[in-house]
Short mmCIF file of all heavy atoms in Angstrom, two decimals:
data_model
loop_
_atom_site.label_atom_id
_atom_site.label_comp_id
_atom_site.label_asym_id
_atom_site.label_seq_id
_atom_site.Cartn_x
_atom_site.Cartn_y
_atom_site.Cartn_z
N THR A 566 -119.76 -32.41 97.86
CA THR A 566 -119.14 -33.75 97.90
C THR A 566 -120.16 -34.79 98.36
O THR A 566 -120.25 -35.89 97.79
CB THR A 566 -117.91 -33.73 98.84
OG1 THR A 566 -117.02 -32.73 98.37
CG2 THR A 566 -117.20 -35.07 98.88
N ILE A 567 -120.95 -34.45 99.38
CA ILE A 567 -121.95 -35.40 99.88
C ILE A 567 -122.96 -35.70 98.77
O ILE A 567 -123.32 -36.86 98.53
CB ILE A 567 -122.65 -34.84 101.14
CG1 ILE A 567 -121.62 -34.81 102.26
CG2 ILE A 567 -123.88 -35.68 101.50
CD1 ILE A 567 -122.11 -34.80 103.66
N LYS A 568 -123.36 -34.67 98.06
CA LYS A 568 -124.32 -34.85 96.95
C LYS A 568 -123.71 -35.77 95.89
O LYS A 568 -124.33 -36.73 95.42
CB LYS A 568 -124.64 -33.47 96.36
CG LYS A 568 -125.82 -33.45 95.43
CD LYS A 568 -126.23 -32.00 95.15
CE LYS A 568 -127.30 -31.89 94.09
NZ LYS A 568 -126.88 -32.17 92.75
N HIS A 569 -122.46 -35.49 95.52
CA HIS A 569 -121.79 -36.31 94.51
C HIS A 569 -121.69 -37.77 94.97
O HIS A 569 -122.00 -38.70 94.21
CB HIS A 569 -120.39 -35.74 94.23
CG HIS A 569 -119.47 -36.72 93.58
ND1 HIS A 569 -119.63 -37.15 92.28
CD2 HIS A 569 -118.41 -37.41 94.07
CE1 HIS A 569 -118.69 -38.04 92.00
NE2 HIS A 569 -117.94 -38.22 93.06
N LEU A 570 -121.29 -37.98 96.22
CA LEU A 570 -121.09 -39.35 96.72
C LEU A 570 -122.42 -40.11 96.79
O LEU A 570 -122.49 -41.28 96.41
CB LEU A 570 -120.40 -39.35 98.08
CG LEU A 570 -118.94 -38.86 98.09
CD1 LEU A 570 -118.39 -38.85 99.51
CD2 LEU A 570 -118.05 -39.74 97.20
N THR A 571 -123.46 -39.44 97.25
CA THR A 571 -124.74 -40.16 97.38
C THR A 571 -125.33 -40.45 96.00
O THR A 571 -125.90 -41.52 95.78
CB THR A 571 -125.76 -39.37 98.24
OG1 THR A 571 -125.83 -38.04 97.74
CG2 THR A 571 -125.38 -39.34 99.69
N GLU A 572 -125.16 -39.52 95.06
CA GLU A 572 -125.72 -39.76 93.72
C GLU A 572 -124.92 -40.81 92.95
O GLU A 572 -125.35 -41.30 91.91
CB GLU A 572 -125.78 -38.45 92.93
CG GLU A 572 -126.90 -37.54 93.44
CD GLU A 572 -126.90 -36.16 92.80
OE1 GLU A 572 -126.00 -35.90 91.97
OE2 GLU A 572 -127.79 -35.36 93.14
N THR A 573 -123.71 -41.12 93.43
CA THR A 573 -122.89 -42.11 92.74
C THR A 573 -122.96 -43.47 93.43
O THR A 573 -122.99 -44.51 92.77
CB THR A 573 -121.42 -41.63 92.71
OG1 THR A 573 -121.39 -40.29 92.22
CG2 THR A 573 -120.56 -42.50 91.81
N TYR A 574 -122.96 -43.44 94.79
CA TYR A 574 -122.86 -44.70 95.54
C TYR A 574 -124.11 -45.00 96.36
O TYR A 574 -124.18 -46.02 97.02
CB TYR A 574 -121.65 -44.64 96.49
CG TYR A 574 -120.36 -44.38 95.74
CD1 TYR A 574 -119.89 -43.08 95.54
CD2 TYR A 574 -119.62 -45.43 95.20
CE1 TYR A 574 -118.72 -42.82 94.84
CE2 TYR A 574 -118.45 -45.18 94.50
CZ TYR A 574 -118.00 -43.88 94.32
OH TYR A 574 -116.85 -43.65 93.62
N GLY A 575 -125.11 -44.11 96.34
CA GLY A 575 -126.30 -44.33 97.16
C GLY A 575 -125.90 -44.43 98.62
O GLY A 575 -125.05 -43.69 99.12
N THR A 576 -126.49 -45.42 99.32
CA THR A 576 -126.22 -45.54 100.76
C THR A 576 -124.80 -46.04 101.03
O THR A 576 -124.32 -45.93 102.16
CB THR A 576 -127.24 -46.50 101.41
OG1 THR A 576 -127.28 -47.69 100.62
CG2 THR A 576 -128.62 -45.89 101.44
N GLN A 577 -124.12 -46.55 100.00
CA GLN A 577 -122.72 -46.95 100.16
C GLN A 577 -121.81 -45.74 100.36
O GLN A 577 -120.63 -45.89 100.70
CB GLN A 577 -122.24 -47.75 98.95
CG GLN A 577 -122.90 -49.11 98.80
CD GLN A 577 -122.61 -50.00 99.99
OE1 GLN A 577 -123.48 -50.24 100.80
NE2 GLN A 577 -121.41 -50.47 100.12
N ALA A 578 -122.34 -44.54 100.17
CA ALA A 578 -121.56 -43.31 100.39
C ALA A 578 -121.00 -43.28 101.81
O ALA A 578 -119.93 -42.69 102.06
CB ALA A 578 -122.42 -42.08 100.14
N THR A 579 -121.69 -43.93 102.75
CA THR A 579 -121.20 -43.93 104.14
C THR A 579 -119.81 -44.58 104.21
O THR A 579 -118.96 -44.13 104.98
CB THR A 579 -122.15 -44.72 105.08
OG1 THR A 579 -122.46 -45.94 104.45
CG2 THR A 579 -123.42 -43.96 105.37
N ALA A 580 -119.60 -45.62 103.40
CA ALA A 580 -118.30 -46.31 103.42
C ALA A 580 -117.20 -45.35 102.95
O ALA A 580 -116.08 -45.34 103.48
CB ALA A 580 -118.34 -47.54 102.54
N LEU A 581 -117.52 -44.52 101.95
CA LEU A 581 -116.51 -43.57 101.46
C LEU A 581 -116.24 -42.48 102.48
O LEU A 581 -115.09 -42.06 102.67
CB LEU A 581 -116.97 -42.99 100.11
CG LEU A 581 -116.84 -44.02 99.01
CD1 LEU A 581 -118.17 -44.47 98.49
CD2 LEU A 581 -115.97 -43.52 97.89
N LEU A 582 -117.31 -42.03 103.14
CA LEU A 582 -117.13 -40.98 104.15
C LEU A 582 -116.30 -41.51 105.33
O LEU A 582 -115.50 -40.77 105.91
CB LEU A 582 -118.50 -40.45 104.61
CG LEU A 582 -119.17 -39.57 103.56
CD1 LEU A 582 -120.67 -39.45 103.79
CD2 LEU A 582 -118.55 -38.17 103.52
N THR A 583 -116.47 -42.79 105.64
CA THR A 583 -115.65 -43.39 106.70
C THR A 583 -114.18 -43.39 106.28
O THR A 583 -113.29 -43.02 107.07
CB THR A 583 -116.13 -44.84 106.99
OG1 THR A 583 -117.50 -44.78 107.31
CG2 THR A 583 -115.36 -45.47 108.13
N LEU A 584 -113.91 -43.77 105.02
CA LEU A 584 -112.52 -43.73 104.53
C LEU A 584 -111.95 -42.32 104.66
O LEU A 584 -110.79 -42.14 105.07
CB LEU A 584 -112.47 -44.15 103.05
CG LEU A 584 -112.68 -45.63 102.71
CD1 LEU A 584 -112.73 -45.83 101.20
CD2 LEU A 584 -111.53 -46.45 103.30
N MET A 585 -112.77 -41.32 104.33
CA MET A 585 -112.30 -39.93 104.38
C MET A 585 -112.03 -39.49 105.82
O MET A 585 -111.14 -38.67 106.07
CB MET A 585 -113.33 -39.01 103.71
CG MET A 585 -113.37 -39.20 102.19
SD MET A 585 -114.91 -38.68 101.39
CE MET A 585 -115.01 -36.98 101.79
N GLU A 586 -112.83 -40.04 106.76
CA GLU A 586 -112.62 -39.70 108.17
C GLU A 586 -111.33 -40.33 108.69
O GLU A 586 -110.57 -39.73 109.45
CB GLU A 586 -113.78 -40.24 109.00
CG GLU A 586 -114.80 -39.18 109.34
CD GLU A 586 -116.04 -39.79 109.96
OE1 GLU A 586 -116.03 -40.99 110.35
OE2 GLU A 586 -117.04 -39.07 110.02
N GLN A 587 -111.10 -41.60 108.26
CA GLN A 587 -109.92 -42.33 108.74
C GLN A 587 -108.63 -41.74 108.19
O GLN A 587 -107.58 -41.79 108.83
CB GLN A 587 -110.01 -43.80 108.32
CG GLN A 587 -111.07 -44.56 109.10
CD GLN A 587 -111.41 -45.90 108.46
OE1 GLN A 587 -111.01 -46.18 107.33
NE2 GLN A 587 -112.16 -46.72 109.18
N ASP A 588 -108.69 -41.20 106.96
CA ASP A 588 -107.48 -40.65 106.34
C ASP A 588 -107.88 -39.37 105.59
O ASP A 588 -108.50 -39.44 104.53
CB ASP A 588 -106.89 -41.70 105.37
CG ASP A 588 -105.67 -41.18 104.63
OD1 ASP A 588 -105.37 -39.97 104.73
OD2 ASP A 588 -105.02 -41.98 103.93
N SER A 589 -107.53 -38.23 106.18
CA SER A 589 -108.03 -36.96 105.61
C SER A 589 -107.48 -36.69 104.20
O SER A 589 -108.09 -35.94 103.43
CB SER A 589 -107.70 -35.80 106.55
OG SER A 589 -106.31 -35.71 106.68
#
Side-chain angles (χ1 to χ4, degrees):
T566 303
I567 292 202
K568 192 168 173 288
H569 161 70
L570 292 178
T571 50
E572 286 173 358
T573 310
Y574 302 91
T576 49
Q577 292 299 107
T579 47
L581 287 112
L582 287 160
T583 304
L584 287 174
M585 289 157 60
E586 259 171 14
Q587 288 165 349
D588 177 351
S589 61

